[in-house]
Amino acid sequence: MLELRDVRKHYRSGSEKTEILRGVNLHVERGEYVAIMGKSGSGKSTMLNLLGTLDRLDSGEYELAGKPVHKMWSGRRAALRNEEIGFVFQHFQLIPNLSVYQNVLLPLIYGSNRLKRKKSRVMALLDEVGLLDKKNQKPDRLSGGEKQRVAIARALVNEPGLILADEPTGSLDEETTESILSLFERVHNKGATIVIITHDLEVAERAERILHLKNGVLV
């Protein structure tokens, strides 16, 4: 599904250069559920941005679904991102003035499928995450767990091959965390590839494989 080979990334602040990733190698098979752990500042978010094609690596190679991301210009990366990747964030990133239904529909707006099929897909996902009865509500009327379920439905609506989750339970209580992790497991059991970034061992242990990012390398 995806492969990083000797990937390096640094940032500059004035004349000072800080290396974030120092030769990362990663291979994730299609259908795997992988957790990446690391302390704050270890490079987890940088890695997620690279995996999600939101940023460019400085050197090395990145292949996603057999395509060489490291050779692509920004427009092609954006197209690949829309085709292959669904994102789930810690703080949900829902659009407050749109309804639950509209938030989930959003990634399909520029697709080629007919509107009837798009509507059917959104309704089916809202039913799957248990929020069909709240499709017309705005995000500010939802609990944290409900917002995250909307975010997961939005991530799935394009039927992407890869789900990237960045601390998806970081702002949720224990009971709600369990419901979200159970939802991820159901999604995975249907064939989705999931890479989850977390600092929580209990969350990571729900994955099939745990990797640790330390000093810019996976160990």
Side-chain angles (χ1 to χ4, degrees), residues 60-181:
E61 298 179 346
Y62 175 25
E63 287 190 7
L64 175 61
K67 301 176 179 69
V69 178
H70 57 286
K71 295 181 179 179
M72 293 178 181
W73 62 288
S74 59
R76 183 66 192 99
R77 291 202 315 273
L80 180 65
R81 184 164 60 245
N82 191 54
E83 294 163 5
E84 291 288 347
I85 303 172
F87 293 92
V88 181
F89 301 97
Q90 178 178 353
H91 299 297
F92 322 126
Q93 306 288 9
L94 302 179
I95 298 177
N97 62 330
L98 297 184
S99 68
V100 165
Y101 173 88
Q102 291 167 328
N103 267 282
V104 177
L105 178 67
L106 200 58
L108 295 176
I109 293 296
Y110 301 105
S112 59
N113 292 333
R114 292 183 178 180
L115 183 60
K116 184 176 180 180
R117 183 178 177 186
K118 293 177 181 179
K119 288 181 176 179
S120 175
R121 175 69 178 159
V122 172
M123 298 295 273
L125 279 170
L126 288 176
D127 187 37
E128 184 174 344
V129 300
L131 290 174
L132 191 57
D133 60 331
K134 298 191 176 184
K135 65 181 185 297
N136 295 319
Q137 291 193 14
K138 299 290 177 63
D140 63 358
R141 302 289 302 276
L142 305 178
S143 69
E146 288 170 338
K147 290 177 183 176
Q148 195 58 292
R149 282 188 275 156
V150 174
I152 292 171
R154 181 183 58 190
L156 295 172
V157 74
N158 258 348
E159 300 180 83
L162 174 64
I163 305 296
L164 295 177
D166 186 9
E167 300 283 4
T169 62
S171 58
L172 305 177
D173 60 39
E174 186 175 342
E175 183 178 352
T176 307
T177 291
E178 176 58 35
S179 71
I180 294 301
L181 292 177

